[in-house]
Amino acid sequence: QEAPRPRACHGWQVSGKCGSLSYILPCNRLPVQLMSQVRLYTSNGQKKDLGSEDTNGSAHGETVRKVETGQDTTNAGQKQSSPKQPIQVKVKAVLKKREYGPKYTKNNFITGVRAINEFCLKSSDLDQLRKIKRRSPHDDTETFTVYLRSDVEAKSLEVWGSPEALARERKRRKEAEIKYRENLFRNQRLLWEYKEFFGNTKPRSSTAAMFFKGPGKVVMVAICINGLNFFFKLLAWVYTGSASMFSEAIHSLADTCNQALLALGISQSARTPDPSHPYGFTNMRYIASLISGVGIFMMGAGLSWYHGIIGLLHPHPVESLLWAYCILAGSLVSEGATLLVAINEIRRSARAKGLSFYQYVVQSRDPSTNVVLLEDAAAVLSVAVAATCMGLTSITGNPYYDSVGSLGVGTLLGTVSAFLIYTNTEALLGRSIEPEQLQRLTELLESDPVVRAIHDVKATDMGMSKVRFKAEVDFDGRVVTRSYLEKQDIEQLLQEIQQVKTLEELEAFMLKHGENIIDTLGAEVDRLEKDLKQRNPDVRHVDLEIL
């Protein structure tokens, strides 16, 4: 006899069967067979029925699980009822998502300088606030003091009384800063007068000391010698009227002006970095050398070519060349002495860098000394060319040889200027360092256990033996975490873990140690930067981006 069928408020009836697929239709009066299923609720609000499977209807081997708990196989119309089973629910515990608004960011740290500037406070106001020691990003200090932003904001309201008063003070200070910038020239003038007044009581500046050694010494010697050469060559040209002697006088004048420009570039490159130029002013030497190359081309080569062409078009007899020969001989000796000074300086610098003489000159490691070297080398060669052409003119009586000598000196100066323009332009564009040096730095990073991989490596020569290194580093979080755990008391840490009973305690535990692990990662970055600078002393700026 058929068992009684229970009635549900929302009835469903097995309406039909197609192959292995059974489908059901709703009915308010028909009995219902309850399904035994388990639903899993996740944190994103989706649910998954574990008691059913997806079917595609194409595979004949697939079968649909029966949703009924009992079924009479002999009679399709008769079904046995099954007792109701409770629904099992599995809930996944997750932390509630937090909204990080302005209230939470008040726990951020702020340095003392920013606190004074942004909140219009005095240094004495910060003495009463909580001080927190943090890891310093600078090499010269291990730790530095920071303050909670919420404490600084509360102190500013205590000092100024209200946010409106603080806003008015900020506006007033902003207007004062704008006014100061407008009167910057007058302030600099007053500062200069102040330095002049106390000039005798102050020690000699480091800028003046630069001209007594190294490239500065070479430039000052060249200025003095070339200035004397210009004076005597000018007198010889006035006496003889020789086109070659005029070219030599112009050559010495161009050398004197260009080397004075180099001296200005050396003095400007010694300026300390400021907020507008955070990487300093070392490129001023390359800029001065570039302008010097352009000056040699326009002033030296241009006038020499012009005078030589005029001599070919309108030749005139040359007077006695005895005094010209004497002056050229003296110029050869003085220019040769300056050339030897420049060669010795470049050899010493190249030996210190582990480079050959040719590599040091071509790479323009020291632009000021390079200019002196090339100018003096060109001067010695031009003296030889001028003396040869003047000798041919005096022997044959043909003034065309003298004009050809002027064109030869101009061509030599143009070649030197083109080389200086090219090398200094390459240096100012920011070229890469040697591949061997870059490979050594890359191997240092890749061999470190904390580094998993590095990408986008760039090493730019900023000039004057200063290299900026940049790389994107994929750190191994497991090694960083182990490095942190090695500095902790494991037994105490285990006790803290065992005391965690609620989600709030778990969150506090993870936040505490998570922040410490981030500090450990920062310490590893500092260690890698220090290792890179020790491996290559030319590396002054290191930028490691964490992936």
Side-chain angles (χ1 to χ4, degrees):
Q1 189 176 6
E2 185 178 358
R5 301 176 180 176
R7 178 176 298 178
C9 58
H10 301 285
W12 293 79
Q13 177 188 12
V14 178
S15 177
K17 187 173 183 181
C18 179
S20 61
L21 177 63
S22 298
Y23 53 91
I24 55 178
L25 297 175
C27 180
N28 293 332
R29 293 294 183 179
L30 295 178
V32 64
Q33 301 294 334
L34 296 177
M35 293 184 297
S36 297
Q37 61 180 0
V38 178
R39 295 177 180 175
L40 177 62
Y41 291 84
T42 59
S43 59
N44 56 7
Q46 298 178 354
K47 62 182 179 178
K48 181 179 180 183
D49 295 338
L50 300 181
S52 60
E53 294 181 358
D54 296 336
T55 61
N56 54 13
S58 61
H60 296 285
E62 295 183 359
T63 60
V64 180
R65 295 182 180 180
K66 302 298 183 178
V67 297
E68 297 86 4
T69 59
Q71 181 178 4
D72 189 2
T73 59
T74 59
N75 188 2
Q78 295 180 356
K79 299 180 181 179
Q80 297 179 357
S81 63
S82 61
K84 298 181 179 180
Q85 296 182 1
I87 298 176
Q88 299 178 4
V89 179
K90 294 182 180 179
V91 180
K92 186 177 181 180
V94 294
L95 290 176
K96 182 181 179 181
K97 186 177 180 180
R98 294 182 180 271
E99 297 293 338
Y100 297 101
K103 182 178 180 181
Y104 186 84
T105 56
K106 290 183 179 179
N107 295 326
N108 292 349
F109 297 139
I110 185 173
T111 60
V113 176
R114 287 189 58 192
I116 293 174
N117 294 334
E118 296 182 9
F119 294 93
C120 305
L121 297 177
K122 299 178 181 179
S123 58
S124 58
D125 297 333
L126 302 179
D127 295 338
Q128 306 172 5
L129 302 181
R130 289 177 291 178
K131 300 178 178 62
I132 303 172
K133 296 293 184 180
R134 302 297 296 172
R135 179 184 59 85
S136 175
H138 307 290
D139 297 335
D140 53 350
T141 56
E142 296 183 356
T143 60
F144 71 108
T145 304
V146 294
Y147 305 88
L148 283 175
R149 190 179 185 90
S150 56
D151 295 346
V152 175
E153 291 179 352
K155 186 64 178 179
S156 64
L157 293 179
E158 177 184 346
V159 172
W160 296 103
S162 64
E164 292 77 12
L166 178 60
R168 289 194 297 269
E169 178 63 19
R170 287 176 176 173
K171 182 178 179 181
R172 187 190 66 81
R173 293 192 179 189
K174 188 66 176 179
E175 294 175 352
E177 181 180 359
I178 294 175
K179 185 177 180 181
Y180 172 79
R181 291 180 178 178
E182 293 176 352
N183 298 329
L184 184 60
F185 179 78
R186 184 178 63 87
N187 294 330
Q188 290 178 345
R189 179 68 180 178
L190 293 176
L191 181 62
W192 179 78
E193 293 178 356
Y194 175 81
K195 290 181 178 180
E196 285 293 322
F197 180 76
F198 291 99
N200 296 329
T201 61
K202 296 178 63 177
R204 188 186 329 185
S205 63
S206 59
T207 303
M210 295 178 62
F211 294 102
F212 292 92
K213 61 181 180 179
K217 177 181 178 180
V218 176
V219 171
M220 294 305 296
V221 171
I223 289 176
C224 296
I225 292 178
N226 285 320
L228 292 176
N229 288 338
F230 165 70
F231 177 74
F232 287 112
K233 288 178 182 179
L234 184 64
L235 292 180
W237 171 70
V238 172
Y239 179 75
T240 61
S242 171
S244 298
M245 185 56 63
F246 175 80
S247 298
E248 281 298 307
I250 294 299
H251 184 187
S252 297
L253 176 61
D255 289 349
T256 304
C257 296
N258 290 329
Q259 286 152 8
L261 184 62
L262 294 179
L264 177 62
I266 292 176
S267 63
Q268 291 296 315
S269 65
R271 295 169 56 187
T272 57
D274 55 24
S276 300
H277 305 84
Y279 292 106
F281 298 85
T282 54
N283 282 339
M284 282 300 299
R285 294 195 183 190
Y286 292 97
I287 295 174
S289 300
L290 179 62
I291 299 175
S292 176
V294 176
I296 293 174
F297 183 80
M298 295 179 61
M299 188 174 180
L303 288 178
S304 297
W305 284 333
Y306 171 78
H307 206 73
I309 294 173
I310 293 298
L312 291 176
L313 297 177
H314 306 285
H316 61 279
V318 179
E319 302 294 335
S320 175
L321 299 177
L322 178 60
W323 286 104
Y325 289 138
C326 295
I327 292 175
L328 285 179
S331 177
L332 181 64
V333 173
S334 60
E335 296 285 0
T338 309
L339 179 62
L340 290 177
V341 173
I343 290 176
N344 292 332
E345 177 64 25
I346 290 180
R347 282 181 176 175
R348 184 185 63 81
S349 301
R351 191 181 306 111
K353 297 295 180 182
L355 300 175
S356 64
F357 185 88
Y358 175 77
Q359 289 176 338
Y360 193 88
V361 173
V362 172
Q363 295 177 10
S364 188
R365 294 282 180 168
D366 187 355
S368 302
T369 309
N370 274 3
V371 172
V372 175
L373 171 71
L374 296 176
E375 285 183 349
D376 289 339
V380 172
L381 293 177
S382 63
V383 167
V385 171
T388 301
C389 293
M390 290 170 60
L392 292 175
T393 299
S394 61
I395 293 174
T396 62
N398 187 355
Y400 286 106
Y401 289 108
D402 187 55
S403 299
V404 171
S406 180
L407 293 175
V409 172
T411 302
L412 185 61
L413 292 177
T415 304
V416 171
S417 65
F419 179 79
L420 291 176
I421 292 173
Y422 171 76
T423 54
N424 288 282
T425 302
E426 287 291 316
L428 288 173
L429 288 176
R431 59 194 171 193
S432 178
I433 63 176
E434 293 296 324
E436 294 79 9
Q437 298 179 2
L438 183 60
Q439 182 66 22
R440 288 197 296 267
L441 296 177
T442 303
E443 291 176 354
L444 175 64
L445 286 179
E446 291 179 338
S447 61
D448 196 280
V450 78
V451 177
R452 181 178 296 163
I454 58 175
H455 310 277
D456 193 21
V457 180
K458 295 183 178 69
T460 306
D461 188 356
M462 301 174 59
M464 299 305 300
S465 301
K466 291 185 179 181
V467 176
R468 180 181 179 182
F469 182 84
K470 177 260 180 186
E472 296 181 358
V473 183
D474 184 5
F475 285 91
D476 193 338
R478 297 169 300 178
V479 178
V480 175
T481 305
R482 289 193 185 100
S483 176
Y484 169 70
L485 292 177
E486 290 174 356
K487 303 175 184 177
Q488 305 299 318
D489 188 352
I490 300 299
E491 294 182 356
Q492 181 181 358
L493 186 61
L494 182 59
Q495 293 177 1
E496 292 182 9
I497 296 175
Q498 293 174 351
Q499 293 175 359
V500 174
K501 302 298 182 182
T502 62
L503 295 179
E504 289 75 12
E505 294 177 353
L506 177 62
E507 181 182 10
F509 176 83
M510 295 300 297
L511 291 177
K512 171 187 174 182
H513 293 281
E515 184 176 4
N516 294 336
I517 291 176
I518 294 300
D519 290 340
T520 304
L521 177 60
E524 293 292 338
V525 172
D526 293 342
R527 179 182 61 82
L528 291 176
E529 292 179 354
K530 187 176 296 184
D531 292 343
L532 289 172
K533 293 179 181 179
Q534 291 178 353
R535 175 65 64 88
N536 190 346
D538 291 342
V539 177
R540 304 295 179 86
H541 307 281
V542 180
D543 300 326
L544 298 181
E545 300 180 5
I546 302 175
L547 292 180

